[in-house]
Amino acid sequence: MLRSFAVLSVTVVAACAATRPHYGGALRIEVRESIESADPPETGAGMADLANAFVITRWEGGRLAVYSANNNAAGGRPFLDSVEIQMARPLREQAIDLELGKADIVELGLDELRRTSPGRRMWTSAPIRLVALVFGPRVTDPRVREALALAVDRAAIHNVLLQRQGEISGALLPQWISGYAFLFPAASDTVKARSLTGGLSAQGRALALGFEDATWRPVAERIALNARDAGLAVSISAQNANADVRLVEVRIISAEPARALSGVAAALGFSEPPHANSADALLAAERSLLDGFHVIPLFHLPAIYGVSQRVKGGPGITRLGEWRFEDLWLEGKRP
């Protein structure tokens, strides 16, 4: 009996030692974004979220950022010694590096989610990535824009290509932020779309669809197929800058509705919406941005990260997908 108690005590002590926070180690992160600026970003990028607990010690624009623990951080020194971020890493390569132990935190794209093993650790934010179609100035006929909006089968894309991640939406802001996203229609209506395109010339029905990231090619191809059923001839173009309509992804930067809407408008290249100090005013401001179908919201998706088993604590992201690494530590011996 005493022997069993001794074994149990050793096991409990070992488990506590393995999970007790301790200082040391470099957290290795990979992202697909490439920030080419000469100086590190202060706002608007995930790296800026580290600024309170860590200080930038190395910056190679478009390639590498290294942050070291701030001994004078308001909440106390982080457990980690440093955070190393490799930029411009394709999603597939990120997933491989995570499997091989070369990275601790990586972004997971659609293909990587499909390949995810049941035991993989993931951190998921709220739906904070708006996926939308944005028309260029060459598409002047509102019938074409509305027809494409009605043609897209969001439900099929969401179920198959997006693995049911996030939410289908016809709104710029997600439901959890605005509370009224359900008021914007998101259902397809091929019959009505065909009635809009029926009187157009072949040239008037032709569109080039571009996308910002190869991740979105399957979605763009499905949209082109939907458009054909509505009488539109949509070709896929990798030259995003020359496209008539672009499939874009915009990060929502605030949980405060008015600020979030302003941020989305700026990211899409639209004018600043009127200041909204009530729910009704905010709804009217969003309706004005969507009027004319110059932008077609499709989905709100979460930010999803794959996480190494050696990362302890967390989750290290907030509901908005902001990085919070000050309470993370790495499994291993004390330095």
Side-chain angles (χ1 to χ4, degrees):
M1 183 69 179
L2 290 175
R3 182 178 179 183
S4 299
F5 178 77
V7 172
L8 178 61
S9 298
V10 171
T11 302
V12 171
V13 170
C16 291
T19 58
R20 185 185 303 125
H22 60 268
Y23 293 99
L27 185 71
R28 302 163 303 186
I29 303 172
E30 296 184 6
V31 296
R32 57 180 166 157
E33 186 177 9
S34 177
I35 302 174
E36 304 288 346
S37 61
D39 299 314
E42 295 183 1
T43 59
M47 298 173 205
D49 301 331
L50 301 178
N52 292 327
F54 298 86
V55 292
I56 186 76
T57 53
R58 183 177 176 186
W59 175 260
E60 298 177 19
R63 181 177 174 273
L64 178 69
V66 178
Y67 289 78
S68 296
N70 181 3
N71 292 323
N72 300 315
R77 184 197 188 279
F79 293 115
L80 298 166
D81 283 338
S82 62
V83 177
E84 301 175 1
I85 305 162
Q86 289 191 28
M87 294 177 269
R89 294 289 291 163
L91 291 173
R92 183 58 186 148
E93 293 182 17
Q94 289 188 44
I96 292 172
D97 286 348
L98 181 65
E99 293 292 338
L100 296 178
K102 295 180 179 180
D104 297 312
I105 299 175
V106 302
E107 296 175 294
L108 295 180
L110 303 178
D111 289 340
E112 289 66 42
L113 284 173
R114 282 190 279 268
R115 300 188 185 101
T116 296
S117 58
R120 177 178 287 182
R121 290 179 65 201
M122 293 190 297
W123 291 340
T124 303
S125 73
I128 46 91
R129 297 156 55 208
L130 167 67
V131 179
L133 292 166
V134 181
F135 283 94
R138 289 197 298 269
V139 185
T140 58
D141 193 328
R143 292 174 296 176
V144 173
R145 299 193 297 264
E146 184 177 1
L148 185 58
L150 292 168
V152 179
D153 189 345
R154 294 172 175 83
I157 294 172
H158 183 251
N159 290 338
V160 179
L161 298 180
L162 301 184
Q163 300 288 292
R164 298 177 183 268
Q165 294 292 326
E167 303 167 349
I168 296 169
S169 183
L172 295 171
L173 296 185
Q175 178 69 24
W176 73 275
I177 290 180
S178 72
Y180 59 63
F182 68 94
L183 295 176
F184 292 91
S188 60
D189 189 339
T190 305
V191 174
K192 185 176 179 181
R194 275 195 169 276
S195 71
L196 291 167
T197 61
L200 300 176
S201 65
Q203 183 178 359
R205 290 184 282 108
L207 294 171
L209 170 60
F211 47 88
E212 296 181 332
D213 190 300
T215 302
W216 297 112
R217 176 176 280 277
V219 175
E221 291 174 346
R222 181 59 64 91
I223 291 172
L225 189 63
N226 292 158
R228 185 185 308 166
D229 294 336
L232 296 169
V234 175
S235 59
I236 304 299
S237 171
Q239 300 300 318
N240 189 51
N242 298 323
D244 299 308
V245 58
R246 297 175 295 120
L247 182 62
V248 304
E249 177 185 338
V250 171
R251 178 73 172 265
I252 295 168
I253 60 172
S254 175
E256 197 281 309
R259 187 180 170 211
L261 187 61
S262 294
V264 169
L268 294 173
F270 294 163
S271 300
E272 175 83 11
H275 178 70
N277 53 13
S278 68
D280 288 342
L282 187 73
L283 176 59
E286 182 161 347
R287 285 194 188 281
S288 69
L289 289 172
L290 294 175
D291 187 41
F293 299 95
H294 295 283
V295 56
I296 305 170
L298 301 175
F299 310 101
H300 290 113
L301 304 179
I304 305 175
Y305 294 92
V307 184
S308 165
Q309 295 295 335
R310 81 180 192 125
V311 177
K312 303 302 177 182
I317 61 171
T318 68
R319 198 177 187 192
L320 269 175
E322 300 161 323
W323 290 351
R324 294 292 183 266
F325 296 161
E326 55 267 32
D327 293 327
L328 300 183
W329 72 97
L330 298 176
E331 185 178 55
K333 295 180 180 179
R334 294 175 184 269

